[in-house]
């Protein structure tokens, strides 16, 4: 709905709008977004980008909207987006998937390690922010269905090394 409102207001699709304001300053190229039958971009899902661009984006998020000394987006928004805004404890998020029971911000999931949060993509695409370690992790997978297993591997093998 927001993508349709943006198109009506500006005449641009979401990614056309974001390219000069966000993607170009971050050095991100060739980003695509799935379009709905009416031609409006989906917005909240269906984006395709390289792992390097995922890493750039999540680094930008970890820096609260600052890139190369310029504040591109409101820093306070990132504080709210990366904080638990919505409880995700439900029967659908069972005990076998503890990282889906930690809460949800604005497009970001809270994680079992304290302070860590992530953005998720289809079948195992992750952008993870580890604030205490001053680190970000970008992961791309192909048709992975053990999503918790990927995160468990990060928590058990990568995070302790940071």
């Amino acid at each position: 709905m927001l993508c349709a409102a943006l198109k009506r207001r500006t005449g641009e699709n979401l990614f056309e709008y974001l390219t000069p304001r966000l993607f170009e300053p971050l050095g991100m190229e060739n980003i695509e977004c799935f379009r709905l039958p009416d031609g409006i971009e989906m917005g909240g899902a269906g984006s395709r980008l390289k792992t390097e661009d995922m890493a750039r984006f999540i680094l930008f998020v970890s820096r609260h909207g600052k890139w190369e000394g310029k504040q591109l987006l409101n820093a306070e928004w990132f504080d709210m987006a990366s904080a638990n805004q919505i409880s995700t404890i439900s029967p659908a998020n069972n005990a076998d998937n503890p990282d889906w029971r930690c809460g949800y911000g604005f497009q970001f999931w809270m994680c079992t390690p304290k302070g860590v949060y992530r953005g998720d993509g289809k079948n195992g695409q992750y952008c993870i922010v580890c604030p205490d370690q001053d680190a970000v992790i970008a992961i791309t997978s192909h048709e992975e269905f053990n999503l918790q297993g990927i995160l468990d591997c990060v928590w058990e093998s990568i995070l302790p090394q940071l």
Side-chain angles (χ1 to χ4, degrees):
M1 183 66 79
L2 290 175
C3 289
L6 179 72
K7 175 79 173 187
R8 176 176 275 177
R9 176 83 168 141
T10 68
E12 295 178 301
N13 280 313
L14 176 65
F15 280 39
E16 291 171 326
Y17 184 83
L18 289 177
T19 294
R21 294 167 176 84
L22 183 63
F23 300 145
E24 285 176 356
L26 295 181
M28 298 168 66
E29 299 176 341
N30 302 318
I31 300 170
E32 299 175 16
C33 186
F34 178 79
R35 291 180 187 264
L36 299 169
D38 64 1
I40 301 293
E41 291 171 333
M42 185 181 266
S47 300
R48 290 183 297 273
L49 57 154
K50 298 179 292 192
T51 307
E52 296 86 11
D53 288 334
M54 288 172 50
R56 285 176 182 270
F57 178 74
I58 202 63
L59 184 59
F60 170 73
V61 169
S62 76
R63 293 176 175 171
H64 296 257
K66 190 176 249 184
W67 192 260
E68 294 182 347
K70 295 178 186 169
Q71 192 70 44
L72 301 179
L73 294 174
N74 185 305
E76 290 77 26
W77 181 87
F78 290 93
D79 292 333
M80 293 187 316
S82 62
N84 188 353
Q85 302 292 336
I86 299 169
S87 174
T88 55
I89 297 175
S90 74
N93 292 329
N94 63 43
D96 293 338
N97 298 306
D99 281 287
W100 277 264
R101 298 174 60 87
C102 297
Y104 191 65
F106 305 153
Q107 302 297 321
F108 296 104
W109 293 90
M110 308 307 105
C111 298
T112 52
K114 184 176 174 32
V116 175
Y117 59 96
R118 72 184 190 282
D120 290 11
K122 182 180 179 188
N123 296 340
Q125 316 312 313
Y126 291 112
C127 289
I128 303 169
V129 177
C130 309
D132 290 347
Q133 293 77 13
D134 191 26
V136 298
I137 302 167
I139 300 171
T140 54
S141 303
H142 177 71
E143 299 300 318
E144 178 59 51
F145 298 101
N146 181 8
L147 302 178
Q148 184 64 52
I150 294 171
L151 293 174
D152 289 344
C153 182
V154 172
W155 310 152
E156 294 166 11
S157 301
I158 297 174
L159 196 59
Q161 301 305 312
L162 299 175

